[in-house]
Amino acid sequence: MTKLSVNINKIATLRNARGGNVPDLILAAQNCERFGAQGITVHPRPDERHIRYNDVRELTKVVSTEFNIEGYPSEDFIALVLEAAPAQVTLVPDPPGVLTSNAGWNAIENQVFLKEVIPTFKNAGIRVSVFMECDPEQIKAVAQTGTDRIELYTEDYAREYPNDPEAAVKAYREAALLAHELGLGINAGHDLDLNNLRYFTKEVPHLAEVSIGHALISDALYLGLENTIQRYLREIEMAQ
Ligand SMILES: CC(=O)[C@@H](O)[C@H](O)COP(=O)(O)O
Ligand SMILES: NCC(=O)COP(=O)(O)O
């Protein structure tokens, strides 16, 4: 069954807006797990616009499901992840000033770099996932880096889904089949929501985890966090 990892970046966005500790991010993460989340994901960006490095240090003490830390493997990020020792690190090629993640790795051009960085985490017992698009040549290249998993970047799927679901999901299904054949685990995320999640998890095989944040936290403003998490879980259950 595909696991749901709730990305709590946007709870930190709201907290930072007033400079205090409301909403309490640690309590929110614990409640997400209590409401059924099977993982907690954070993306501490260099400018700490939402998740701060110290949030990661505090969260790692309380997260009892799978803790997944996403980010570009800068020296500071690597040191933070090794200190936090999460279940999983997801390497994302984001430059510092980007509004949000908007591309997967070019694993062909960055093969040497990824081959150097990935053992640092694996030797510390941390599962590695690499944020990727669906290009088969890129999937073959990232399979050579030693990563445990890839995370399929699903913005293209989310954008095209309303127009033509089958066309939107085709490349992802093919990428998942190829990745599985190459011995890679498969995660997915970015812009997944209550409308497009069931079809994606039904059509894409071998999907270990989806990480969802922006739409889920936005839905929770209307539906409540507990109800929202359970509705996302139900979408996955209905697909499998
Ligand atoms: C890698 C990914 O798709 C998400 O972690 C995304 O980067 C969320 O980041 P923001 O919450 O800063 O948009
Ligand atoms: N890896 C994707 C993630 O953690 C959340 O992305 P989004 O749902 O906020 O777009």
Side-chain angles (χ1 to χ4, degrees):
M1 176 74 79
T2 303
K3 290 185 176 179
L4 171 66
S5 185
V6 174
N7 182 312
I8 59 174
N9 291 350
K10 300 303 162 17
I11 297 177
T13 297
L14 182 57
R15 176 204 56 194
N16 295 357
R18 186 57 68 87
N21 193 38
V22 176
D24 181 327
L25 188 74
I26 304 304
L27 183 60
Q30 291 173 309
N31 282 331
C32 285
E33 293 184 317
R34 192 161 57 87
F35 299 154
Q38 295 143 327
I40 297 295
T41 291
V42 295
H43 191 148
R45 295 184 177 275
D47 60 9
E48 296 189 304
R49 66 188 73 164
H50 40 53
I51 296 292
R52 298 171 178 146
Y53 273 38
N54 204 49
D55 291 328
V56 173
R57 297 184 182 101
E58 293 306 311
L59 282 165
T60 204
K61 297 173 188 170
V62 301
V63 171
S64 58
T65 56
E66 282 219 341
F67 194 24
N68 175 38
I69 305 174
E70 298 182 333
Y72 179 83
S74 65
E75 283 185 23
D76 288 347
F77 178 83
I78 292 170
L80 176 69
V81 172
L82 293 177
E83 180 185 350
Q88 177 175 269
V89 62
T90 300
L91 304 182
V92 184
D94 292 2
V98 70
L99 175 66
T100 186
S101 305
N102 58 15
W105 283 92
N106 183 326
I108 296 168
E109 288 183 6
N110 291 286
Q111 175 120 163
V112 171
F113 174 65
L114 290 170
K115 278 183 175 176
E116 283 170 0
V117 165
I118 287 170
T120 306
F121 299 111
K122 290 184 71 169
N123 293 341
I126 301 166
R127 181 196 313 136
V128 177
S129 180
V130 177
F131 198 61
M132 296 297 292
E133 294 167 44
C134 296
D135 180 310
E137 295 311 310
Q138 291 291 347
I139 304 285
K140 291 174 190 169
V142 80
Q144 301 304 313
T145 64
T147 187
D148 300 296
R149 294 190 184 178
I150 59 171
E151 175 175 340
L152 293 173
Y153 168 45
T154 47
E155 179 177 356
D156 287 350
Y157 163 75
R159 186 179 57 249
E160 293 310 310
Y161 173 77
N163 306 321
D164 184 342
E166 172 54 30
V169 83
K170 182 173 181 292
Y172 292 86
R173 180 190 303 118
E174 290 167 358
L177 288 169
L178 174 60
H180 182 71
E181 198 179 288
L182 295 169
L184 295 169
I186 300 136
N187 297 343
H190 203 95
D191 285 343
L192 293 174
D193 64 26
L194 273 179
N195 298 316
N196 63 34
L197 177 58
R198 184 184 307 192
Y199 186 76
F200 188 87
T201 48
K202 178 173 176 288
E203 294 299 321
V204 177
H206 313 299
L207 194 55
E209 172 191 289
V210 289
S211 43
I212 306 176
H214 194 89
L216 188 152
I217 301 302
S218 302
D219 289 335
L221 296 174
Y222 300 97
L223 303 172
L225 189 55
E226 181 170 10
N227 181 30
T228 299
I229 289 175
Q230 288 169 9
R231 285 184 64 164
Y232 274 79
L233 287 168
R234 202 153 48 245
E235 289 301 301
I236 295 170
E237 285 160 19
M238 297 296 283
Q240 296 177 345

